[in-house]
Amino acid sequence: MTISFPDTRWSLIARVGDGREHAAVLLELYGDSIARYLRLKLSTRVPPADLDDVIQDVAVQLLERPELLSKSVMPAAASTYRFRHWLMATALMLARNPLRARRHDRALAQLPHDAAATEVRRDDDMERAWAASVLDASWRDLRAWALDGTLDPAALAVLDATLVRGVSLRAYAATLPTDGPSLATCQRLQARARAALVQAIAARLRHAGELSADDDAAVACDRLIEALR
């Protein structure tokens, strides 16, 4: 199974100019989680249409200032957090300019004032945004594998019911036709789909440098899902 990142608005913006390959790669990897983080922080104070523009403006700022996407500018205390925490904190501060231009004073009041981002304060929203982004991308992998035959579509259906919709395995099996999969078969399908999800999540975490070859992928998967609860 291979990783194929979607052609998002972040990669489309990156094609506007030349010499931004480094920024483009990082925004393709972290852009969705940055956008989710900004939404978590600002959605209660900024109208949806304006918020979309603010997020887009932050993306452009990051592309126009690729030095902000370099680990070399991170503070000496960077060992206490991950690179994505730095990026999210930086993006939140870069949101000040478009928010000020749109006169969203209530949103501005809650943002940090230090544009140099000398201090990164990790918060639960950072973890939720990253977890949701990785899980959503991994789920897209599963859907693609179900379409190309790599994963049994019935296995994906079981996992969707039990993991996403919160239906018990027994209740799900009871909804199936009499000639459909038995409860025991559903258990096997669920285990197969969960193993595929773990594989997809692990691949994306390794791509981001957040999971080493020695780390337990199943534990990392459980922690990621737990961050969303």
Side-chain angles (χ1 to χ4, degrees):
M1 299 177 184
T2 58
I3 295 298
S4 177
F5 286 95
D7 191 25
T8 64
R9 63 182 181 276
W10 306 93
S11 54
L12 291 174
I13 292 173
R15 296 196 190 103
V16 173
D18 297 324
R20 296 171 179 171
E21 292 83 2
H22 176 69
V25 169
L26 287 174
L27 281 179
E28 193 168 22
L29 179 60
Y30 295 108
D32 182 67
S33 60
I34 289 173
R36 290 172 186 266
Y37 179 63
L38 292 177
R39 290 188 189 283
L40 286 171
K41 287 299 183 186
L42 302 172
S43 61
T44 61
R45 293 173 173 83
V46 180
D50 282 357
L51 185 52
D52 287 341
D53 289 340
V54 169
I55 292 171
Q56 196 89 332
D57 189 275
V58 169
V60 172
Q61 288 186 72
L62 288 171
L63 283 166
E64 290 178 342
R65 299 175 61 189
E67 73 277 4
L68 293 176
L69 297 173
S70 171
K71 290 186 178 181
S72 64
V73 300
M74 293 173 67
S79 59
T80 62
Y81 51 82
R82 295 185 182 275
F83 183 53
R84 58 180 164 82
H85 298 136
W86 160 261
L87 289 182
M88 290 180 188
T90 300
L92 190 60
M93 281 180 288
L94 290 176
R96 294 188 64 84
N97 290 333
L99 286 171
R100 186 179 293 109
R102 291 168 177 80
R103 301 183 183 279
H104 289 302
D105 296 334
R106 289 180 64 240
L108 274 171
Q110 70 171 356
L111 299 190
H113 292 274
D114 184 5
T118 55
E119 181 180 358
V120 174
R121 296 182 179 179
R122 292 172 52 179
D123 58 46
D124 290 342
D125 285 338
M126 287 181 174
E127 301 310 310
R128 290 192 191 97
W130 173 246
S133 179
V134 173
L135 190 59
D136 186 57
S138 300
W139 198 259
R140 288 198 299 271
D141 288 339
L142 261 64
R143 289 200 296 266
W145 298 340
L147 288 173
D148 68 17
T150 303
L151 178 67
D152 187 341
L156 180 60
V158 173
L159 194 65
D160 176 70
T162 57
L163 180 63
V164 178
R165 292 187 280 123
V167 179
S168 72
L169 192 60
R170 185 175 297 277
Y172 174 76
T175 66
L176 299 176
T178 55
D179 59 347
S182 65
L183 177 59
T185 299
C186 286
Q187 289 174 325
R188 290 192 292 270
L189 290 170
Q190 182 190 51
R192 198 177 307 160
R194 185 171 180 83
L197 180 62
V198 169
Q199 182 177 355
I201 289 174
R204 289 182 177 275
L205 291 179
R206 289 192 179 101
H207 185 72
E210 297 222 358
L211 191 69
S212 71
D214 297 328
D215 291 330
D216 189 322
V219 172
C221 177
D222 289 341
R223 288 176 179 169
L224 198 78
I225 294 174
E226 185 62 31
L228 296 173
R229 292 174 178 166

